Every structure is written in structure tokens, then in C-alpha cells.
């Protein structure tokens, strides 16, 4: 991670779970880190887990990742204040226990697509503007899921509606971004990180109650993998990294 010391990272969905873990780890690795979330007070609270000398390197910005105008505004402000963005962690995600064929689910379906797909696409687009302008080596990481790689949910488990299709989209988008970054002639890497079950707020209470013995990763496990991806030499690009808890049967 030596190459990233003093550089600027943006983490979406940084108020809890994987986003909170990676925001803290990036600060500890020497990066100036901007956490985006609707609940900025939760990001501010993360500073207590950091050494006093590093707390000023974590910055909280309010952003609803489902609103394109907010994304455009906040990424422009970050670029102006911090002289560019070098690393983007597209972590914000949403899901609901709900069947596609049931009624009254339109708002929740749109929330998942707007967060998991469009929010990721627009955040990357706005970050690219900064990366293109400053011309430094950069890296974009998409937090994907094993659900984005043809994982079939057992019938005994609750449905997560449009979540898996949204993550299939992330798998395809990662390859599109790889190709577009190469054509741009800028040194911008992109990586999809696909965890199995992670013990976060996103994994519903229903899952935990129905499968109390299901092996799960900790958010810190995923964060460590992200730091590994970022720490590769400039000539190495990890395109896809899948991480599962030992014993997972999904």
C-alpha cells in the first residue's frame, strides 16, 4: 500500500459494514479517505477507532447514492477540495427479502437497481472525470457478490428479489470498465470483489434466524482483501476476487 500513502480514496456506503471497515483500513494505510453515506454521523463516529494522529484523514460527506444529482455534486466537490480522486470503493448496496412476482414491490426494486447498479455506474463516471484530469495511477473497486456469478439460492432460503440480477450487472460492468479504462490510455485498474455471506446489516435478520450456524465473513476480512488488491504492483490487475467463509455451502 506504500504507493497510496497521501493519496485520496472515496468509499461509498461507508457508514457501516464493509464500507466502514475499509474506510478505517485505508486511513490506517496512509490514505486521505472520504466516506459517503446518508448517515454522516456514523462515519464521524468511526474516528474513535483510529489513532489520534490519523483521525483528521477521515472525512464524511453526505450523499444519497440513488440520486444522480447528489453524486455529481459531491464528487465534483471532493475533486476540487482534495486535488483529485485516486481510489474509488463502490461499496454502497441494498437488498430486500421479497419475491419479484409479489405485488407492491416496485419502490424496493428501484431502490436496489438505483443503488447497486446506477449508483455504481454514476459514481465511477464522476470519479473517472477526476482521474482523467489528474492523470495519476488509479484504481476502482466494485464490491460485488457471489450472487453475481451464477450462484443459485436454495429454495429453503428467503428470496432477495432483484439483488442477484443487480450483482450480475456489476460483473458485466466490471469488464466494460476494464475495456474502457484501457481505451482511455490512463493507468486505471478495476477490480470486482465478490464476498460470500458477510455479517453486516445487509444480511437480513431472517437469514440469520433461519440459518444460525451459517459461516460468515467479517467486514474486516473483505477489507483486508481489498487492501491486497490495491497493493498489487502497477503491472498487475486482479480482475475478480472471490472470498468465502470456510464451510459456506452457497
Amino acid at each position: 500500500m506504500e504507493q497510496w500513502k497521501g493519496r485520496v480514496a472515496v468509499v461509498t456506503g461507508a457508514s457501516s459494514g464493509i464500507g466502514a471497515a475499509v474506510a478505517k483500513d485505508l486511513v490506517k494505510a496512509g490514505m486521505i479517505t472520504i466516506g459517503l453515506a446518508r448517515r454522516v454521523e456514523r462515519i464521524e463516529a468511526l474516528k474513535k477507532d483510529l489513532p489520534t494522529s490519523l483521525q483528521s484523514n477521515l472525512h464524511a460527506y453526505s450523499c444519497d447514492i440513488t440520486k444522480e444529482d447528489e453524486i455529481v455534486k459531491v464528487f465534483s466537490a471532493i475533486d476540487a477540495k482534495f486535488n483529485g480522486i485516486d481510489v474509488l470503493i463502490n461499496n454502497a448496496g441494498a437488498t430486500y427479502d421479497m419475491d419479484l412476482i409479489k405485488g407492491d414491490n416496485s419502490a424496493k426494486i428501484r431502490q436496489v437497481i438505483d443503488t447497486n447498479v446506477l449508483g455504481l455506474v454514476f459514481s465511477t463516471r464522476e470519479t473517472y472525470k477526476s482521474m482523467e484530469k489528474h492523470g495519476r495511477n488509479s484504481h476502482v473497486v466494485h464490491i460485488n457478490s457471489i450472487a453475481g456469478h451464477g450462484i443459485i439460492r436454495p429454495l429453503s432460503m428467503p428470496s432477495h428479489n432483484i439483488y442477484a440480477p443487480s450483482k450480475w450487472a456489476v460483473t458485466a460492468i466490471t469488464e466494460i470498465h476494464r475495456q474502457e479504462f484501457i481505451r482511455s490510455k490512463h493507468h486505471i485498474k478495476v477490480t470486482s470483489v465478490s464476498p460470500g455471506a458477510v455479517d453486516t446489516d445487509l444480511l437480513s435478520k431472517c437469514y440469520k434466524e433461519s440459518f444460525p450456524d451459517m459461516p460468515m465473513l467479517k467486514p474486516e476480512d473483505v477489507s483486508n482483501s481489498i487492501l491486497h488488491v490495491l497493493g498489487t504492483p502497477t503491472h498487475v490487475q486482479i480482475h475478480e476476487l472471490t472470498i468465502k467463509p470456510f464451510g459456506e455451502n452457497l
Side-chain angles (χ1 to χ4, degrees):
M1 290 292 292
E2 190 68 27
Q3 62 184 310
W4 300 113
K5 284 188 175 179
R7 305 279 290 278
V8 177
V10 175
V11 183
T12 69
S15 61
S16 64
I18 295 170
V22 73
K24 290 187 290 185
D25 283 347
L26 290 174
V27 171
K28 292 174 183 176
M31 296 198 75
I32 299 166
T33 304
I34 295 90
L36 304 185
R38 290 172 295 179
R39 302 169 295 185
V40 292
E41 69 280 358
R42 291 197 175 191
I43 301 174
E44 292 288 353
L46 299 177
K47 292 182 179 181
K48 70 179 187 302
D49 299 326
L50 296 169
T52 304
S53 61
L54 296 177
Q55 290 179 2
S56 62
N57 285 340
L58 178 60
H59 305 266
Y61 275 60
S62 176
C63 183
D64 184 343
I65 214 70
T66 68
K67 300 185 184 305
E68 183 182 358
D69 58 339
E70 289 193 23
I71 293 172
V72 172
K73 183 178 179 179
V74 77
F75 277 86
S76 176
I78 292 168
D79 175 70
K81 182 172 181 178
F82 296 96
N83 191 34
I85 301 168
D86 302 296
V87 169
L88 171 65
I89 310 296
N90 274 311
N91 167 74
T95 189
Y96 296 97
D97 294 336
M98 189 176 202
D99 290 337
L100 285 173
I101 58 176
K102 297 293 178 66
D104 301 322
N105 59 5
S106 301
K108 291 181 177 180
I109 289 173
R110 288 192 176 95
Q111 178 76 15
V112 174
I113 294 296
D114 286 346
T115 303
N116 298 0
V117 181
L118 298 181
L120 177 147
V121 169
F122 295 147
S123 294
T124 304
R125 181 192 68 193
E126 297 307 305
T127 296
Y128 175 73
K129 291 178 182 178
S130 175
M131 292 176 173
E132 180 184 39
K133 178 169 66 174
H134 296 282
R136 303 187 290 260
N137 289 356
S138 305
H139 203 138
V140 175
V141 177
H142 299 324
I143 304 303
N144 197 343
S145 168
I146 59 168
H149 298 276
I151 304 303
I152 305 301
R153 175 187 58 84
L155 287 174
S156 59
M157 298 181 75
S159 172
H160 264 217
N161 193 269
I162 202 72
Y163 179 77
S166 75
K167 291 301 186 179
W168 277 53
V170 172
T171 300
I173 289 165
T174 301
E175 173 59 19
I176 296 300
H177 278 150
R178 187 188 71 85
Q179 295 177 19
E180 291 186 353
F181 289 154
I182 290 173
R183 289 200 299 270
S184 77
K185 305 301 182 183
H186 294 283
H187 195 282
I188 305 172
K189 299 181 186 181
V190 61
T191 301
S192 161
V193 175
S194 299
V198 185
D199 190 4
T200 68
D201 294 342
L202 196 64
L203 193 66
S204 69
K205 182 180 179 182
C206 180
Y207 268 82
K208 294 177 183 179
E209 289 179 349
S210 300
F211 304 92
D213 298 323
M214 180 170 65
M216 286 190 287
L217 298 165
K218 298 177 181 178
E220 292 76 15
D221 299 325
V222 182
S223 181
N224 287 336
S225 294
I226 293 169
L227 263 62
H228 167 70
V229 165
L230 293 174
T232 53
T234 55
H235 69 285
V236 175
Q237 175 167 303
I238 297 176
H239 184 72
E240 168 62 39
L241 188 150
T242 303
I243 171 173
K244 291 187 176 188
F246 179 78
E248 181 179 81
N249 60 7
L250 295 179

